[in-house]
Amino acid sequence: MALPKHASTLERVWHYVYLVICGLIFLFLIAPILIVIPLSFNAEPYFTFTPKMLSLDPEGYSMRWYDLLLTFGMQVPEAARDGSWWADAWNNAAWIKAARNSVIIGFFATILATTLGTVAALGLSRPEMPYRRTIMAVLISPMIVPIIITATGLFFFYSSISISKWELFGWQIPYLGIILAHATLGIPFVIITVTATLVGFDHSLTRAAASLGANPRTTFFKITMPLILPGVISGALFAFVTSFDEVVAVLFIGGFDEQTIPRQMWNGIREQISPAILSVATVLVIFSIFLLTTVELLRRRSERLRGLSPG
Amino acid sequence: MTDAVADPISSARGQAQLTTADGIPLKTALAIAQSKARRRAFLLVLPLLAFVLITFVAPIGQMLYRSVHNPAFSDNAPALAVWFEANPTGTEPDEAAYEALVSDLRAMRENKTQGVAGTRINYDLAGSRSLFTSTARKSAKMEPPFKEAVLDADEDWADPQLWQVMRTASSAYTANFYLAALDRTRDENGNIVRVNENRRLYVGNFIKTMLLSALITGCCLVLGYPIAHLLATLPLRHSNLLMIFVLLPFWTSLLVRTTSWIVLLQSQGVVNDTLVAVGVVADESRIQMIYNQTGTIVAMVHILLPFMVLPLYSVMRPINPSYVRAARSLGATSWTAFRRIYVPQTVPGMGAGGLLVFILAVGYYITPALVGGASGQLISNFIAFHMQKSLNWSLAAALAALLLACILLLYWLYDRLIGIDNLKLG
């Protein structure tokens, strides 16, 4: 993007104007995400920088909203912070309970979506696959169909089969409906990432393994799986994030006690927005930075494995 | 294969056909092998396909069924259904009709279903639920002639439109919810007419949703094109770094991003405070940027922008810069070269990104619900309203079906023009 030597003055000016415009657009993209981080340390219950914060006075900053995250919903938040206080927080604090639910639901939804999705992607990327286009369109559709329509359909469907009363060996499976719904929503991401990895897949490798006497199972676990693993993991992370961020299906089909982090946030934003929401947001932003880094590293590794890029 | 032709035995038998080692004609063997491979591929996909059909397609199908099937009134008014069957549309309700009505009302009172049935009629004719509950209470003591008894209880029963509504509701299958979703209703003669001007909600809202989505798509294109171009022309080292600015929002929770916009744009928020501090805006006339249409547009453009940048980038990256250079060397100004040579090559990316953003915008729910206020609501929010507040589930299903039809049409278009396989994430 370097400017050639023969560029006219007008072109030079335009070039810098263009860079400034791009900078502003990048600012538009990133500023709203980063702004919540300093604001979450606000000592006052406001959503803006107080004069004390602007003058970098330590008094203007505090951890009170993070503290509120821990203590909100606890039975005796004022007690001394010993073992029983932490046990109380673990068992009763609303945000911690929500985080636990979110992780449990996300974990099982991801396992389900990734297993089914990876196997299906293997089938879909075979040239012999019949009705490939149609089936692919059906499998991707949960991503395209508006979430409100999916949630409405699931609400009717689950209440007609009363899924909340289903039992397995006399044990009522918790969150079953939400897990199934989130798995469905995560499947398109797994399909897309795994089929993208399989595009560069050299099928003569599996044939070579077979010709050397490996059975299909060994071939899959020893040859195919290690090569497509980066794609599978990124797909799984996408599926997990989808579940971890999903609120509408939980609102429609979740029981009263099935609180998740997005649902808590939703209620917080709708009812009375407090800076405690910003501290949750900060935690989630850091979480997404971590995820993005993982996915980027995986993508580079995958490209290197498949010889798509030199670095 | 040449071995088979040269095989002395088959040549001796005079067979022109090629066979495999075990004597099966090659064509058949190939067909068997291919169908086996097809079956194997299909079996791999089958578990997921079954899962999606059960947990996704079936629920939506059931919802569509609900939009044309509502037995709340027909199940509870069998006698009226018989009378409607025997008498054509427009017949003045006679004594027999009122007798049927009273017997149905008595049955409803016994089964405690007058509320359910009344609610169903209420959807088409506001105010009739109380008519059912109050008259059902009195129905036990009614004596013939029933017409006078019923009209004594409440003279609203003489309303011909009420009878028309009951006639259509006496069949469980109805297109009335679609009519309601299109701001239409039936008059007393069963003709389809538009509802009163002040009750026309949905058609206008569908149009508004489309226009807002188009506006958001346009904004995304205007903002996404320059940065995609920059990313595509920078060396890979730098562009991978800058790509983080696009991908981080993509990975950040939707609710976090919406919260950030509330923080930034509210009247005591960062943007307004800055404007006041700089002196652009007076303290008492802070700009209302959130909880209205502006808030919806700004937040949605921010959320959907990565979906525009990524397809644009993947189309722009492989474009060969020598075409533009050739145009320049032939005397084109940089603007002409850009407009006539570069832009036409990026049309597939603009199509892919634009269509994807538009599809996602049309069905958006969360952001408008949180930052849209009253004026920034989209059609999805109306569906949610009927699901959660008014509890008119059949109307919600009908609205959802219409929205779904739009989305599927766009999805089909996307598949035809761009292909689902080319959908990329990051």
Side-chain angles (χ1 to χ4, degrees), chain B residues 74-272:
Chain B
S74 56
D75 278 2
N76 294 311
L80 273 172
V82 171
W83 186 83
F84 284 129
E85 190 78 20
N87 297 279
T89 307
T91 313
E92 187 77 12
D94 52 11
E95 177 62 20
Y98 280 98
E99 192 180 342
L101 175 66
V102 170
S103 89
D104 281 339
L105 283 174
R106 282 176 181 162
M108 284 178 205
R109 190 174 140 79
E110 226 156 84
N111 305 325
K112 298 195 170 61
T113 52
Q114 67 271 44
V116 179
T119 306
R120 166 68 188 89
I121 301 301
N122 204 54
Y123 291 151
D124 288 336
L125 192 67
S128 28
R129 189 178 182 277
S130 57
L131 203 60
F132 273 83
T133 47
S134 68
T135 314
R137 212 180 308 122
K138 294 173 192 156
S139 65
K141 291 193 193 113
M142 282 181 186
E143 276 168 29
F146 288 114
K147 185 168 178 176
E148 269 131 66
V150 171
L151 291 180
D152 264 355
D154 201 321
E155 55 190 21
D156 283 351
W157 283 106
D159 183 1
Q161 198 170 358
L162 174 68
W163 284 87
Q164 176 54 36
V165 167
M166 288 200 294
R167 176 185 287 277
T168 47
S170 68
S171 152
Y173 292 92
T174 170
N176 269 19
F177 295 106
Y178 283 93
L179 290 180
L182 293 169
D183 292 338
R184 300 288 194 278
T185 187
R186 284 179 202 275
D187 63 8
E188 56 261 46
N189 298 320
N191 300 320
I192 296 167
V193 290
R194 297 187 69 178
V195 297
N196 284 338
E197 201 140 347
N198 53 355
R199 302 191 61 192
R200 288 177 200 164
L201 280 176
Y202 307 113
V203 173
N205 207 272
F206 264 108
I207 294 169
K208 184 175 128 191
T209 304
M210 296 291 158
L211 288 179
L212 272 185
S213 303
L215 180 65
I216 288 162
T217 310
C219 289
C220 281
L221 186 64
V222 169
L223 293 180
Y225 201 92
I227 58 171
H229 179 250
L230 183 74
L231 288 168
T233 46
L234 280 177
L236 215 50
R237 266 177 309 129
H238 301 298
S239 73
N240 269 345
L241 218 63
L242 275 179
M243 201 56 158
I244 291 173
F245 286 79
V246 180
L247 289 177
L248 184 61
F250 193 61
W251 278 92
T252 307
S253 161
L254 205 83
L255 288 163
V256 169
R257 285 182 277 168
T258 309
T259 314
S260 310
W261 281 112
I262 297 177
V263 168
L264 280 171
L265 296 182
Q266 62 177 288
S267 51
Q268 300 296 327
V270 176
V271 171
N272 261 317

Side-chain angles (χ1 to χ4, degrees), chain A residues 4 6-8 10-12 14-15, chain B residues 324 327-328 331-343:
Chain A
H6 53 77
S8 64
L10 189 67
E11 280 173 344
R12 261 167 222 285
W14 166 243
H15 179 73
Chain B
V324 172
R328 293 301 308 276
T333 60
S334 54
W335 167 241
T336 312
F338 175 75
R339 188 169 54 89
R340 305 266 315 258
I341 307 297
Y342 192 78
V343 173

Side-chain angles (χ1 to χ4, degrees), chain A residues 207-249:
Chain A
R207 274 184 231 123
S211 80
L212 290 168
N215 60 28
R217 232 187 80 211
T218 318
T219 315
F220 176 74
F221 283 109
K222 294 264 175 187
I223 308 294
T224 316
M225 198 59 192
L227 280 170
I228 64 167
L229 197 60
V232 174
I233 296 177
S234 340
L237 288 178
F238 265 113
F240 185 78
V241 168
T242 309
S243 161
F244 206 73
D245 192 26
E246 204 290 319
V247 62
V248 182

Side-chain angles (χ1 to χ4, degrees), chain A residues 1 11 18-19 22 25-26 28-30 32-33 36 39 47-48 112 116 119-120 123-124 128-130 132-133 135 137 139-146 148-150 152-157 160 180 184 187 189 191-192 238 241 245 247-248 252 262 265-266 269-270 277-278 281 284-285 288-289 292 295-296 300, chain B residues 37-38 40-42 44-45 47-49 51-52 54-56 59 62-63 66 223 226-227 229-230 233-234 240 242 245 247-256 259-264 266 268 270 273 302 305 328 334 359 363 365-366 369-370 380 383-384 387-388 393 400 403-404 407 411 415 420-421 423 425:
Chain A
M1 203 49 211
E11 280 173 344
Y18 169 67
L19 287 184
C22 286
I25 298 170
F26 281 124
F28 170 76
L29 273 169
I30 208 80
I33 292 168
V36 296
L39 282 177
F47 290 105
T48 186
L112 201 57
L116 289 172
V119 173
L124 282 171
E128 312 89 39
M129 182 65 205
R132 188 168 177 283
R133 227 184 151 116
I135 291 178
L139 296 181
I140 303 291
S141 59
M143 193 174 106
I144 298 293
V145 171
I148 192 83
I149 294 181
T150 313
T152 305
L154 287 175
F155 172 78
F156 292 139
F157 187 64
S160 70
L180 291 179
T184 314
I187 280 166
F189 296 97
I191 297 271
I192 289 171
F238 265 113
V241 168
D245 192 26
V247 62
V248 182
F252 271 63
M265 284 190 82
W266 173 273
I269 298 171
R270 291 213 108 176
I277 294 280
L278 298 187
L284 291 180
V285 166
S288 55
I289 290 174
L292 174 64
V295 171
E296 274 301 289
R300 290 191 192 174
Chain B
R38 265 204 301 275
R40 211 176 296 140
F42 188 72
L44 285 173
V45 180
L48 181 65
L49 190 63
F51 182 79
V52 170
I54 293 170
T55 62
F56 183 73
Q62 197 194 23
M63 179 199 77
R66 194 178 271 264
L223 293 180
I227 58 171
H229 179 250
L230 183 74
T233 46
L234 280 177
N240 269 345
L242 275 179
F245 286 79
L247 289 177
L248 184 61
F250 193 61
W251 278 92
T252 307
S253 161
L254 205 83
L255 288 163
V256 169
T259 314
S260 310
W261 281 112
I262 297 177
V263 168
L264 280 171
Q266 62 177 288
Q268 300 296 327
V270 176
D273 274 5
H302 179 249
L305 191 50
R328 293 301 308 276
S334 54
I359 290 175
Y365 167 66
I366 296 171
L370 290 176
S380 286
I383 298 173
M387 283 300 293
Q388 295 175 315
W393 289 347
L403 177 61
L404 185 65
I407 296 283
Y411 185 43
D415 190 31
I420 308 286
D421 316 27
L423 209 60
L425 303 162

